[in-house]
């Protein structure tokens, strides 16, 4: 027995990266065409803003402007900005929600370790609570990554320096 198929949309051009990861110019009847990304870092919240911003601009250059060289040059310039300290701190802030009490977490996580320290060091009125989002930056150091989360203010004050290699290897 035949199935009735309903036309929904098409993507042109389309960049396929793998299962559930694609980006393209979405064309739907009666709607304005737009750039649409699924499954990439730029649509997820667990990456630093520099990742999302860079990826969106690269996709725009590749798909909307069809400018491959421009996309490569832009990505390269963002890497250079990162490695030469020319990024705003805000672009490197990671943020995760504290979903339970820090001591109840089974695995080690950067935002949890930072929350434990802030709860220990800050007055209860300003210390993080369950449900809060914890903003953090990964600092330089020899310890494991989850032990190197610091607040953006601790970076701004010069107390710590940003681990740009971490952001290059694990984020960008």
């Amino acid at each position: 027995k035949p199935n009735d198929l309903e036309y929904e949309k098409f993507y042109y051009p389309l960049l396929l990266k793998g299962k559930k990861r694609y980006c393209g110019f979405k064309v739907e009847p009666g709607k304005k065409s737009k750039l649409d990304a699924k499954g990439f870092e730029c649509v997820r919240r667990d990456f630093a803003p520099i990742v999302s911003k860079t990826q969106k601009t690269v996709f725009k250059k590749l798909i909307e402007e069809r400018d491959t060289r421009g996309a490569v040059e832009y990505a390269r310039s963002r890497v250079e900005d990162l490695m030469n300290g020319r990024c705003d701190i805000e672009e490197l802030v990671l943020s995760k929600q504290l979903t339970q009490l820090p001591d109840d977490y089974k695995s080690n996580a950067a935002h949890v370790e930072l929350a434990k320290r802030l709860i220990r060091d800050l007055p209860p009125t300003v210390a993080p609570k369950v449900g809060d989002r914890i903003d953090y930056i990964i600092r330089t150091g020899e310890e494991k990554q989850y032990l190197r989360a610091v607040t953006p203010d601790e970076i701004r004050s010069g107390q710590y320096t940003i681990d740009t290699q971490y952001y290059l290897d694990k984020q960008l």
Side-chain angles (χ1 to χ4, degrees):
K1 162 178 150 190
N3 285 329
D4 283 343
L5 297 178
E6 185 183 332
Y7 171 75
E8 256 184 56
K9 61 189 169 223
F10 74 91
Y11 286 81
Y12 184 80
L14 177 64
L15 176 68
L16 289 170
K17 177 76 169 61
K19 195 175 185 177
K20 295 184 181 178
R21 284 170 62 100
Y22 58 90
C23 179
F25 217 62
K26 181 166 77 169
V27 182
E28 289 181 284
K31 290 188 179 172
K32 192 171 174 284
S33 300
K34 67 177 185 135
L35 194 62
D36 186 34
K38 299 285 184 220
F40 281 101
E41 292 79 0
C42 66
V43 292
R44 297 173 51 99
R45 283 173 67 178
D46 48 356
F47 286 86
I50 189 175
V51 177
S52 177
K53 201 169 135 192
T54 302
Q55 203 171 58
K56 280 181 186 164
T57 302
V58 166
F59 287 156
K60 188 173 184 289
K61 287 183 180 299
L62 283 174
I63 292 162
E64 275 183 39
E65 301 166 16
R66 308 264 168 66
D67 179 9
T68 307
R69 179 174 286 131
V72 170
E73 285 170 3
Y74 178 76
R76 186 173 288 135
S77 76
R78 294 307 288 152
V79 169
E80 287 173 3
D81 289 347
L82 171 67
M83 299 315 283
N84 293 313
R86 292 191 303 260
C87 288
D88 283 343
I89 286 174
E90 307 319 323
E91 288 188 286
L92 303 174
V93 173
L94 295 156
S95 183
K96 290 228 169 88
Q97 188 173 24
L98 199 60
T99 56
Q100 53 192 326
L101 290 169
D103 291 331
D104 293 346
Y105 279 84
K106 305 263 184 289
S107 60
N108 298 320
H111 72 294
V112 176
E113 293 303 317
L114 177 58
K116 285 179 186 174
R117 180 166 63 83
L118 295 175
I119 289 166
R120 193 177 59 237
D121 298 349
L122 295 174
T125 50
V126 289
K129 300 173 290 304
V130 173
D132 287 354
R133 289 197 76 77
I134 309 293
D135 289 349
Y136 64 97
I137 292 176
I138 301 299
R139 64 165 171 82
T140 53
E142 297 303 313
E143 309 92 324
K144 290 195 180 302
Q145 181 252 312
Y146 71 88
L147 295 171
R148 294 187 284 121
V150 295
T151 67
D153 284 338
E154 289 173 316
I155 294 289
R156 280 188 206 99
S157 72
Q159 193 175 346
Y160 296 105
T161 54
I162 296 167
D163 185 351
T164 52
Q165 197 62 48
Y166 163 81
Y167 284 89
L168 180 63
D169 295 343
K170 303 281 194 269
Q171 293 281 315
L172 271 181

